[in-house]
Amino acid sequence: MQMAHINLDDLKPAKINVRKRGGKEVADLVPSIRSLGLIQPLLVRPNCDGYEVVAGQRRYHALRQLAEDGIIDPVPCVVMNSDDDATAVEASLAENVARLPMDEIDQYKAFSALAKQGISVAEIASRFGVTDRLVTQRLAIANLIGPVLTAYRRDEIRREDVRTLTMASKAQQKTWMDLLRSEDQYAPTGRALKHWLFGGATIPVSNALFDVEASGLVVIGDLFGDAKYFSDSAAFWPLQSQAVAEMAERYRAEGWVDVVVHEVGEHWQSWNYADVVKDDGGEVHITIACDGEVACHEGVLDRDTLRKRETAKASGAEEGAVERPELTKAMQRYLDLHRHAAVRYDLLTQPGVALRLAVAQMIAGSDLWSVEAESQKAPSEANAESLAENTAQAAFIAKRAEIAKLLGFEDGEIIVPRKEDWGLARDVHVFFARLVELSDDDVQRILTFVVAETLAAGTAMVEALGVRLGTDMAQHWSPDDTFYDLLRDKPAINAMLKEIGGKAVADGNVTATAKAQKTIIKDYVSGTREGGKTDWHPRYMAFPMMAYTKRGGLTAIENWKAIKKHYV
């Protein structure tokens, strides 16, 4: 045998090739060869018209398909003797047996090796010509312990049960394997396995992080006393949640950048996280199984965040940039509009301040000094309806009617045009003539109104004025359904619960869903639940604004930091 590079047109399939079906089904090979090239050469032998392909028929047809899109370079081939039929059949058989489709475990190992190199799921799927979903499913096998993988490859475990076990903790998998190997016990399968894992019917005492004896909880055990469980799982969870909260606090005290407590039963997708040491920004993720088992994943960071960080670093972006803001853009806009409405109304009572602001804007300009009014455009109907309930907003609209009457406007006539009113024609001499006839006090009122009308929402000037005027949001706004709907950050929600109901309540619900914690906050504020602050207002509505986490990313806070030196 010898190695040679042969033109694709000089090759054709051999009649003795053992693959009689499926040779032209090459959808999985084309993407791989397009991306990586032909890694394994074809096995060929000479015939009267060139060469025939003895082994590698599917690779040959994949190359034919690629040739339709462009010119293919000469193909690497191993050339056999022309008259050796027995050897040719043996080589073809070995080739096709070796290239049978990989099972799930082989696929997992191949995909996992690429994932560890930082290659995304989409890229892996493209290289192998499979779907993103299939790659994700195979990567989930990373959660399986060795005995489960071995039993599966021996056909001792059904495929559907293996997929269910990928969502189990390693301790649960070990227990299940012990049941499977036992001669007198039953290992649940199918739906029973899912119920066994996630039903939460029994909680082993060994999973408790708190002092069981001091807790006073009733414990039950089997006849031999080998296994012990809590008789009341509902009483278990507040104590376990408190212990988890204390564990998270210890991690934070140790200097971890972030400690994330997952909701009970939330599946830990290990393949989505990379190992990152504490000093490089690694986080701690605490997961809680439905049976109370707690696992701490130290020094990890989700791969999307890691890629963004590396991209930012490569582009020269400032190190330590905010990766996930505490508030969504919709929530920040919601807060901007309400805060703007309150500060703008307070400005109406301070003509001296408004006059000075006007002069400053004339000298230095501002976001809206064209002149045009703030449009107060809300991102959703719910935001707009919420803003309409703000008492400062309603009072400002009433003042607008007074100013319009003072200027001699008809009902509904626009005083200060907005961007959408760009086609509105105005004669400056008409307005000047009206103002000449008004007293200084009336002109001062109009000027103050125009300055307030042209104050841009979400800017540093709103923060400066709010601090300067001592604006109290409690006079104009209270938490409403839209506020709660837009509130998404779980650590911030738990911190709010601590503000209202105290540390014990917050820690006791740290593993509860964000929705459940918001319901408790609502109940405290409405007075339905006793023992909390009914007059509570979030830090987001203070002047200057304050956050609940150290992650930052709040526009109003960054605005105040930038200008604070000028006012303090």
Side-chain angles (χ1 to χ4, degrees):
M1 293 185 183
Q2 61 180 350
M3 190 72 180
H5 285 75
I6 303 170
N7 291 329
L8 186 61
D9 290 338
D10 292 332
L11 298 173
K12 66 180 180 180
K15 294 180 180 180
I16 53 87
N17 193 293
V18 296
R19 185 188 289 275
K20 301 303 181 184
R21 295 184 180 180
K24 296 185 178 181
E25 297 174 2
V26 295
D28 59 327
L29 277 180
V30 170
S32 176
I33 296 176
R34 181 185 289 117
S35 173
L36 305 174
L38 188 64
I39 298 175
Q40 185 175 354
L42 306 181
L43 188 63
V44 303
R45 67 179 184 180
N47 67 12
C48 57
D49 298 320
Y51 297 86
E52 58 183 6
V53 179
V54 175
Q57 182 182 164
R58 293 181 67 241
R59 279 168 283 157
Y60 166 77
H61 286 296
L63 290 169
R64 277 289 179 193
Q65 193 172 104
L66 288 170
E68 295 176 2
D69 301 326
I71 298 174
I72 295 291
D73 292 333
V75 181
C77 300
V78 175
V79 183
M80 301 174 58
N81 295 329
S82 60
D83 58 350
D84 197 351
D85 277 355
T87 303
V89 172
E90 182 180 353
S92 176
L93 181 61
E95 160 78 0
N96 286 285
V97 170
R99 294 185 63 82
L100 284 174
M102 295 186 295
D103 67 15
E104 290 168 309
I105 309 302
D106 288 332
Q107 289 175 339
Y108 152 65
K109 290 180 178 179
F111 297 166
S112 178
L114 293 176
K116 288 179 181 178
Q117 297 174 27
I119 299 174
S120 68
V121 168
E123 287 182 86
I124 295 172
S126 175
R127 290 192 183 189
F128 283 87
V130 296
T131 64
D132 292 5
R133 184 168 179 268
L134 186 141
V135 174
T136 302
Q137 288 174 339
R138 297 299 180 264
L139 289 175
I141 294 175
N143 280 359
L144 295 175
I145 61 176
V148 172
L149 289 173
T150 301
Y152 176 55
R153 297 196 100 166
R154 292 175 178 172
D155 292 328
E156 297 174 5
I157 305 176
R158 295 186 304 173
R159 177 177 295 181
E160 65 174 283
D161 291 334
V162 166
R163 290 179 179 175
T164 301
L165 287 169
T166 62
M167 296 182 284
S169 69
K170 288 178 170 53
Q172 288 173 319
Q173 293 177 51
K174 185 179 183 302
T175 300
W176 188 84
M177 283 300 300
D178 290 341
L179 293 174
L180 185 67
R181 300 299 186 205
S182 173
E183 295 182 358
D184 56 357
Q185 296 190 70
Y186 165 74
T189 59
R191 291 186 178 179
L193 174 56
K194 291 180 180 178
H195 179 76
W196 183 76
L197 289 174
F198 311 119
T202 57
I203 298 178
V205 171
S206 59
N207 287 342
L209 298 180
F210 52 87
D211 188 331
V212 177
E213 186 175 347
S215 71
L217 296 184
V218 178
V219 174
I220 57 177
D222 60 23
L223 294 176
F224 302 98
D226 294 331
K228 295 182 179 180
Y229 304 91
F230 290 104
S231 63
D232 185 355
S233 60
F236 162 85
W237 282 111
L239 295 174
Q240 188 77 337
S241 183
Q242 172 75 28
V244 170
E246 293 172 357
M247 177 186 290
E249 288 182 3
R250 288 195 297 271
Y251 274 119
R252 294 187 182 102
E254 291 173 4
W256 289 93
V257 173
D258 199 6
V259 181
V260 180
V261 179
H262 292 251
E263 295 179 4
V264 174
E266 184 178 342
H267 179 41
W268 173 247
Q269 299 177 328
S270 60
W271 62 90
N272 280 336
Y273 292 84
D275 294 331
V276 178
V277 297
K278 181 200 296 186
D279 293 341
D280 288 342
E283 302 172 343
V284 176
H285 286 248
I286 302 175
T287 56
I288 307 100
C290 293
D291 66 354
E293 181 189 358
V294 176
C296 299
H297 310 275
E298 300 177 1
V300 296
L301 193 64
D302 71 89
R303 295 189 184 279
D304 285 342
T305 300
L306 185 60
R307 275 194 289 271
K308 290 177 183 177
R309 177 183 293 179
E310 291 173 346
T311 300
K313 187 176 181 180
S315 64
E318 183 179 351
E319 189 173 351
V322 176
E323 296 162 342
R324 181 170 62 88
E326 180 176 327
L327 301 177
T328 62
K329 288 184 179 180
M331 181 56 149
Q332 294 208 55
R333 184 57 176 171
Y334 169 92
L335 298 171
D336 287 343
L337 291 175
H338 279 287
R339 293 159 59 79
H340 172 266
V343 171
R344 186 174 66 169
Y345 176 72
D346 280 356
L347 187 60
L348 296 182
T349 64
Q350 300 289 330
V353 175
L355 180 61
R356 286 161 179 75
L357 175 59
V359 173
Q361 288 175 326
M362 291 174 187
I363 294 173
S366 80
D367 292 344
L368 297 176
W369 197 264
S370 296
V371 175
E372 62 188 32
E374 161 63 40
S375 65
Q376 290 195 303
K377 187 175 182 180
S380 68
E381 186 176 341
N383 254 343
E385 292 174 354
S386 173
L387 183 62
E389 296 297 321
N390 187 305
T391 59
Q393 180 75 358
F396 191 92
I397 292 173
K399 289 292 184 181
R400 182 186 287 133
E402 294 178 13
I403 297 300
K405 185 176 181 180
L406 192 62
L407 286 168
F409 282 13
E410 296 180 1
D411 289 344
E413 188 173 351
I414 297 171
I415 297 176
V416 183
R418 294 169 172 77
K419 285 184 179 179
E420 53 265 38
D421 304 319
W422 62 272
L424 184 64
R426 288 281 175 81
D427 188 342
V428 66
H429 298 288
V430 173
F431 286 96
F432 180 73
R434 290 177 184 172
L435 292 170
V436 167
E437 296 174 358
L438 298 177
S439 66
D440 289 347
D441 287 343
D442 286 339
V443 172
Q444 188 77 31
R445 286 178 61 196
I446 295 171
L447 173 62
T448 303
F449 176 85
V450 170
V451 170
E453 183 91 308
T454 57
L455 176 63
T459 62
M461 187 53 70
V462 172
E463 298 305 305
L465 290 170
V467 173
R468 168 80 181 184
L469 303 175
T471 298
D472 182 5
M473 290 299 301
Q475 296 183 13
H476 307 292
W477 173 89
S478 294
D480 56 16
D481 289 339
T482 304
F483 171 81
Y484 291 119
D485 288 343
L486 292 170
L487 191 60
R488 304 287 174 80
D489 190 85
K490 192 176 176 185
I493 294 170
N494 190 257
M496 292 179 185
L497 184 55
K498 183 177 179 180
E499 264 187 354
I500 300 170
K503 186 175 185 299
V505 174
D507 288 351
N509 288 276
V510 72
T511 59
T513 63
K515 182 178 180 181
Q517 294 189 54
K518 286 193 284 187
T519 298
I520 297 174
I521 292 173
K522 288 182 184 179
D523 290 343
Y524 273 133
V525 173
S526 67
T528 305
R529 188 183 183 113
E530 297 181 354
K533 299 178 181 178
T534 57
D535 60 344
W536 173 80
H537 277 71
R539 299 177 191 175
Y540 301 144
M541 288 303 189
F543 284 96
M545 180 190 276
M546 294 181 287
Y548 284 95
T549 72
K550 296 180 180 180
R551 294 196 306 274
L554 280 66
T555 304
I557 291 179
E558 298 303 321
N559 284 343
W560 177 244
K561 285 181 180 178
I563 64 168
K564 182 179 178 180
K565 62 183 179 182
H566 301 299
Y567 298 97
V568 178

